Amino acid sequence: MVDVSHEFVAEKLWLVVAIVTLPLTSLVAVSGAVLPEVLAELLVTSIPIVGWFLLTPLLLFFGEEIADWLVGTDADTVDADGEPADRSDDPVESLKRRYAAGEIGEAEFERRLDRLLSQGDGEATVDGRDAPLSDDRAGELSTEDEDLLERE
């Protein structure tokens, strides 16, 4: 829900303000018989100034910042696709996400999970070294590397 309201304030609220300003100004001008003349003139002049010349440009150019302030969502918590950014550094959670997304198969998932759980610190390493297992290297393990992993 926060993402929807953040997106609306950041990208569409300026347009709503610009569109609503004209009918609101016209409505106030037509209702001059009901409102006192001084109040009607003040509203007819101030609504377009505030709507078109103040709020619309502010929301158009600074919509993201205003949305962050109003809705309370940092832009850093949402990635480029609009999805919530992952703040977790847990390799097991990362592995589960990759399996659920279909990036790795069941056998690869189970092999990597066993390897992660067998190590106390949770860092996947290659041949006992401290270097983390990179995504490029992970899919290209030789049979010799797999034999070493099974013996561990």
Side-chain angles (χ1 to χ4, degrees):
M1 182 65 184
V2 173
D3 293 335
V4 173
S5 56
H6 185 274
E7 179 185 347
F8 175 77
V9 171
E11 298 176 10
K12 297 176 178 89
L13 187 58
W14 71 270
L15 187 59
V16 171
V17 169
I19 290 172
V20 168
T21 300
L22 180 63
L24 188 60
T25 304
S26 301
L27 183 65
V28 170
V30 170
S31 67
V34 178
L35 295 173
E37 186 176 332
V38 175
L39 181 60
E41 287 179 16
L42 178 67
L43 288 175
V44 167
T45 55
S46 62
I47 289 174
I49 290 171
V50 171
W52 283 327
F53 300 117
L54 182 66
L55 290 178
T56 299
L58 278 174
L59 291 169
L60 180 61
F61 296 117
F62 301 106
E64 284 289 330
E65 290 81 10
I66 292 171
D68 291 345
W69 180 68
L70 286 176
V71 180
T73 304
D74 282 337
D76 297 341
T77 61
V78 179
D79 64 11
D81 299 331
E83 298 294 323
D86 181 34
R87 298 255 180 231
S88 172
D89 292 335
D90 184 20
V92 175
E93 290 302 317
S94 175
L95 186 62
K96 287 178 183 178
R97 248 187 331 279
R98 291 185 65 198
Y99 174 66
E103 293 177 21
I104 58 175
E106 184 178 355
E108 181 73 12
F109 170 76
E110 288 179 6
R111 186 183 62 75
R112 288 186 185 189
L113 183 62
D114 289 342
R115 185 169 181 198
L116 285 172
L117 295 177
S118 69
Q119 297 176 354
D121 60 355
E123 276 287 318
T125 59
V126 179
D127 298 333
R129 294 177 289 176
D130 291 333
L133 182 63
S134 69
D135 290 337
D136 296 336
R137 175 81 172 115
E140 301 173 4
L141 290 177
S142 67
T143 55
E144 181 182 14
D145 290 337
E146 289 177 352
D147 292 338
L148 286 172
L149 290 175
E150 290 175 5
R151 283 187 260 155
E152 289 180 352

Coordinates of all heavy atoms in Angstrom, one line a residue, residues 6-55:
H6 N 3.1 6.1 -2.5 CA 4.4 6.7 -2.8 C 4.4 7.0 -4.3 O 4.8 8.1 -4.7 CB 5.5 5.9 -2.4 CG 6.9 6.5 -2.6 ND1 7.5 6.5 -3.8 CD2 7.6 7.3 -1.7 CE1 8.7 7.1 -3.6 NE2 8.7 7.6 -2.4
E7 N 4.1 6.0 -5.1 CA 4.1 6.2 -6.6 C 3.1 7.3 -7.1 O 3.4 8.1 -7.9 CB 3.8 4.9 -7.3 CG 3.8 5.0 -8.8 CD 3.4 3.7 -9.5 OE1 3.3 2.6 -8.8 OE2 3.1 3.7 -10.7
F8 N 1.9 7.3 -6.5 CA 0.9 8.3 -6.8 C 1.4 9.7 -6.5 O 1.3 10.6 -7.4 CB -0.4 8.0 -6.1 CG -1.4 9.0 -6.4 CD1 -2.1 9.1 -7.6 CD2 -1.7 10.0 -5.4 CE1 -3.1 10.1 -7.8 CE2 -2.6 11.0 -5.7 CZ -3.3 11.0 -6.9
V9 N 1.9 9.9 -5.3 CA 2.4 11.2 -4.9 C 3.6 11.6 -5.8 O 3.7 12.8 -6.3 CB 2.7 11.3 -3.4 CG1 3.4 12.6 -3.1 CG2 1.5 11.1 -2.6
A10 N 4.5 10.7 -6.0 CA 5.7 11.0 -6.8 C 5.4 11.3 -8.3 O 6.1 12.1 -8.9 CB 6.7 9.9 -6.6
E11 N 4.5 10.6 -8.9 CA 4.3 10.7 -10.3 C 3.0 11.2 -10.8 O 3.0 11.7 -12.0 CB 4.5 9.2 -10.9 CG 5.9 8.7 -10.6 CD 6.0 7.2 -11.1 OE1 5.1 6.8 -11.8 OE2 7.0 6.6 -10.8
K12 N 2.0 11.2 -10.1 CA 0.7 11.6 -10.6 C 0.0 12.7 -9.9 O -1.0 13.3 -10.4 CB -0.2 10.4 -10.6 CG 0.3 9.3 -11.6 CD -0.6 8.1 -11.5 CE -0.1 7.0 -12.4 NZ 0.8 6.1 -11.9
L13 N 0.4 13.1 -8.7 CA -0.3 14.1 -7.9 C -0.3 15.5 -8.6 O -1.2 16.2 -8.5 CB 0.2 14.1 -6.5 CG -0.6 15.0 -5.5 CD1 -2.0 14.6 -5.4 CD2 0.1 15.0 -4.2
W14 N 0.8 15.8 -9.2 CA 1.0 17.1 -9.9 C -0.1 17.2 -11.0 O -0.7 18.3 -11.1 CB 2.3 17.3 -10.5 CG 2.6 16.4 -11.7 CD1 3.1 15.1 -11.7 CD2 2.3 16.7 -13.1 NE1 3.2 14.7 -13.0 CE2 2.7 15.6 -13.9 CE3 1.8 17.9 -13.7 CZ2 2.6 15.6 -15.3 CZ3 1.7 17.9 -15.1 CH2 2.1 16.7 -15.8
L15 N -0.4 16.2 -11.7 CA -1.4 16.2 -12.7 C -2.8 16.4 -12.2 O -3.6 17.1 -12.7 CB -1.3 14.9 -13.6 CG -2.2 14.8 -14.8 CD1 -1.8 16.0 -15.8 CD2 -2.0 13.5 -15.5
V16 N -3.1 15.7 -11.1 CA -4.4 15.9 -10.4 C -4.6 17.3 -9.9 O -5.7 17.9 -10.1 CB -4.5 14.9 -9.2 CG1 -5.8 15.1 -8.4 CG2 -4.5 13.4 -9.7
V17 N -3.6 17.9 -9.3 CA -3.6 19.3 -8.9 C -3.9 20.2 -10.1 O -4.7 21.1 -10.0 CB -2.4 19.7 -8.1 CG1 -2.3 21.2 -7.8 CG2 -2.3 18.9 -6.8
A18 N -3.2 20.0 -11.1 CA -3.3 20.9 -12.3 C -4.7 20.7 -12.9 O -5.3 21.7 -13.3 CB -2.3 20.5 -13.4
I19 N -5.2 19.5 -13.0 CA -6.6 19.3 -13.6 C -7.7 19.8 -12.7 O -8.7 20.4 -13.1 CB -6.8 17.8 -13.9 CG1 -5.8 17.4 -15.0 CG2 -8.2 17.5 -14.2 CD1 -5.8 15.9 -15.3
V20 N -7.6 19.7 -11.4 CA -8.6 20.1 -10.4 C -8.6 21.6 -10.3 O -9.7 22.2 -9.9 CB -8.4 19.4 -9.1 CG1 -9.3 19.9 -8.0 CG2 -8.7 17.9 -9.2
T21 N -7.5 22.3 -10.5 CA -7.5 23.7 -10.2 C -8.4 24.5 -11.1 O -9.1 25.4 -10.7 CB -6.0 24.2 -10.5 OG1 -5.2 23.5 -9.5 CG2 -5.9 25.7 -10.3
L22 N -8.5 24.2 -12.4 CA -9.4 24.9 -13.3 C -10.9 24.8 -12.9 O -11.6 25.8 -12.8 CB -9.2 24.5 -14.8 CG -10.0 25.2 -15.8 CD1 -9.7 26.7 -15.8 CD2 -9.8 24.6 -17.2
P23 N -11.4 23.6 -12.8 CA -12.8 23.5 -12.4 C -13.1 24.1 -11.0 O -14.2 24.7 -10.8 CB -13.2 22.0 -12.3 CG -12.0 21.3 -13.0 CD -10.9 22.3 -13.0
L24 N -12.2 24.0 -10.1 CA -12.4 24.6 -8.8 C -12.4 26.1 -8.9 O -13.3 26.8 -8.3 CB -11.2 24.2 -7.8 CG -11.4 24.6 -6.4 CD1 -12.7 24.0 -5.8 CD2 -10.2 24.1 -5.6
T25 N -11.5 26.7 -9.7 CA -11.6 28.2 -9.9 C -12.9 28.6 -10.6 O -13.5 29.6 -10.2 CB -10.4 28.6 -10.8 OG1 -9.2 28.1 -10.2 CG2 -10.3 30.1 -11.0
S26 N -13.3 27.8 -11.6 CA -14.6 28.1 -12.2 C -15.8 28.0 -11.3 O -16.7 28.8 -11.3 CB -14.8 27.2 -13.4 OG -13.7 27.3 -14.3
L27 N -15.8 27.0 -10.4 CA -16.8 26.8 -9.5 C -16.9 28.0 -8.5 O -18.0 28.5 -8.2 CB -16.6 25.5 -8.7 CG -17.7 25.1 -7.8 CD1 -19.0 24.8 -8.5 CD2 -17.3 23.9 -7.0
V28 N -15.8 28.4 -8.0 CA -15.8 29.6 -7.1 C -16.3 30.8 -7.8 O -17.0 31.6 -7.3 CB -14.4 29.8 -6.5 CG1 -14.3 31.1 -5.7 CG2 -14.0 28.6 -5.6
A29 N -15.9 31.0 -9.1 CA -16.3 32.2 -9.8 C -17.8 32.2 -10.1 O -18.4 33.2 -10.0 CB -15.5 32.3 -11.2
V30 N -18.3 31.1 -10.4 CA -19.8 30.9 -10.6 C -20.6 31.1 -9.3 O -21.7 31.6 -9.3 CB -20.1 29.6 -11.3 CG1 -21.6 29.3 -11.3 CG2 -19.5 29.5 -12.7
S31 N -20.0 30.7 -8.2 CA -20.7 30.8 -6.9 C -20.6 32.1 -6.3 O -20.8 32.3 -5.1 CB -20.2 29.7 -6.0 OG -18.9 29.9 -5.6
G32 N -20.3 33.1 -7.1 CA -20.1 34.5 -6.5 C -21.4 35.0 -5.9 O -21.3 35.9 -5.0
A33 N -22.5 34.5 -6.3 CA -23.8 35.0 -5.7 C -23.9 34.5 -4.3 O -24.6 35.1 -3.4 CB -25.0 34.5 -6.5
V34 N -23.4 33.3 -4.0 CA -23.5 32.7 -2.6 C -22.4 33.3 -1.7 O -22.7 33.6 -0.5 CB -23.4 31.2 -2.7 CG1 -23.4 30.6 -1.3 CG2 -24.5 30.6 -3.6
L35 N -21.2 33.4 -2.2 CA -20.1 33.9 -1.4 C -20.1 35.4 -1.4 O -20.4 36.0 -2.4 CB -18.8 33.3 -2.0 CG -18.6 31.8 -1.9 CD1 -17.3 31.5 -2.7 CD2 -18.5 31.4 -0.5
P36 N -19.5 36.0 -0.4 CA -19.3 37.5 -0.4 C -18.3 37.8 -1.6 O -17.4 37.0 -1.9 CB -18.7 37.8 0.9 CG -19.0 36.6 1.8 CD -19.2 35.4 0.9
E37 N -18.5 39.0 -2.2 CA -17.8 39.3 -3.4 C -16.3 39.4 -3.1 O -15.5 38.9 -3.9 CB -18.2 40.7 -3.9 CG -17.6 41.1 -5.2 CD -18.2 42.4 -5.7 OE1 -19.3 42.8 -5.4 OE2 -17.4 43.1 -6.4
V38 N -15.8 39.8 -2.0 CA -14.4 39.9 -1.7 C -13.8 38.5 -1.5 O -12.7 38.3 -2.0 CB -14.2 40.8 -0.4 CG1 -12.7 40.8 0.1 CG2 -14.7 42.2 -0.5
L39 N -14.5 37.7 -0.8 CA -14.0 36.3 -0.7 C -14.0 35.6 -2.0 O -13.0 34.9 -2.3 CB -14.9 35.5 0.3 CG -14.5 34.1 0.6 CD1 -13.1 34.0 1.2 CD2 -15.5 33.4 1.5
A40 N -15.0 35.7 -2.9 CA -15.0 35.1 -4.2 C -13.8 35.6 -5.0 O -13.1 34.8 -5.7 CB -16.3 35.4 -4.9
E41 N -13.5 36.9 -5.0 CA -12.4 37.4 -5.8 C -11.1 36.9 -5.3 O -10.2 36.6 -6.1 CB -12.4 39.0 -5.8 CG -13.5 39.6 -6.6 CD -13.5 41.1 -6.5 OE1 -12.5 41.7 -6.1 OE2 -14.6 41.7 -6.9
L42 N -11.0 36.9 -4.0 CA -9.7 36.3 -3.4 C -9.5 34.9 -3.8 O -8.4 34.5 -4.1 CB -9.8 36.5 -1.9 CG -8.6 36.0 -1.1 CD1 -7.4 36.8 -1.4 CD2 -8.9 36.0 0.4
L43 N -10.5 34.1 -3.7 CA -10.4 32.6 -4.0 C -10.2 32.4 -5.5 O -9.4 31.6 -5.9 CB -11.7 31.9 -3.6 CG -11.8 31.7 -2.1 CD1 -13.2 31.0 -1.8 CD2 -10.7 30.9 -1.5
V44 N -10.8 33.2 -6.4 CA -10.7 33.1 -7.8 C -9.2 33.4 -8.2 O -8.7 32.8 -9.1 CB -11.7 34.0 -8.6 CG1 -11.3 34.1 -10.0 CG2 -13.1 33.4 -8.4
T45 N -8.6 34.4 -7.5 CA -7.2 34.7 -7.9 C -6.2 33.8 -7.2 O -5.1 33.5 -7.7 CB -6.9 36.2 -7.5 OG1 -7.2 36.4 -6.2 CG2 -7.7 37.1 -8.4
S46 N -6.5 33.3 -6.0 CA -5.5 32.6 -5.2 C -5.5 31.1 -5.6 O -4.4 30.4 -5.6 CB -5.7 32.7 -3.7 OG -7.0 32.2 -3.4
I47 N -6.6 30.5 -6.0 CA -6.6 29.1 -6.4 C -5.7 28.8 -7.6 O -4.9 27.9 -7.5 CB -8.0 28.6 -6.6 CG1 -8.8 28.5 -5.3 CG2 -8.1 27.2 -7.3 CD1 -10.3 28.2 -5.4
P48 N -5.8 29.5 -8.7 CA -4.8 29.3 -9.8 C -3.4 29.5 -9.4 O -2.5 28.8 -9.9 CB -5.3 30.2 -10.9 CG -6.6 30.7 -10.5 CD -6.8 30.5 -9.1
I49 N -3.1 30.6 -8.6 CA -1.8 30.9 -8.2 C -1.2 29.7 -7.4 O -0.1 29.2 -7.7 CB -1.7 32.2 -7.5 CG1 -2.0 33.3 -8.4 CG2 -0.3 32.4 -6.8 CD1 -2.2 34.7 -7.8
V50 N -1.9 29.3 -6.4 CA -1.4 28.2 -5.6 C -1.4 26.9 -6.4 O -0.4 26.1 -6.3 CB -2.3 28.0 -4.3 CG1 -2.0 26.8 -3.6 CG2 -2.2 29.3 -3.4
G51 N -2.5 26.6 -7.1 CA -2.5 25.3 -7.9 C -1.6 25.2 -9.0 O -0.8 24.3 -9.1
W52 N -1.7 26.2 -10.0 CA -0.8 26.0 -11.2 C 0.6 26.5 -11.0 O 1.5 26.0 -11.5 CB -1.5 26.8 -12.3 CG -2.6 26.1 -12.9 CD1 -2.8 24.7 -13.1 CD2 -3.8 26.7 -13.5 NE1 -4.0 24.5 -13.7 CE2 -4.6 25.6 -14.0 CE3 -4.2 28.0 -13.7 CZ2 -5.8 25.9 -14.6 CZ3 -5.4 28.2 -14.3 CH2 -6.2 27.2 -14.7
F53 N 0.8 27.6 -10.3 CA 2.1 28.2 -10.2 C 2.9 27.8 -9.0 O 4.1 28.1 -9.0 CB 2.0 29.8 -10.3 CG 1.3 30.2 -11.5 CD1 0.1 30.9 -11.5 CD2 1.8 30.0 -12.8 CE1 -0.6 31.3 -12.6 CE2 1.2 30.4 -13.9 CZ 0.0 31.1 -13.9
L54 N 2.3 27.2 -8.0 CA 3.1 26.8 -6.9 C 3.1 25.2 -6.7 O 4.1 24.6 -6.8 CB 2.5 27.4 -5.6 CG 3.2 27.1 -4.3 CD1 4.6 27.7 -4.3 CD2 2.4 27.6 -3.1
L55 N 1.9 24.6 -6.5 CA 1.9 23.2 -6.3 C 2.2 22.3 -7.5 O 3.0 21.3 -7.3 CB 0.5 22.8 -5.8 CG 0.1 23.3 -4.4 CD1 -1.3 22.8 -4.0 CD2 1.1 22.7 -3.3

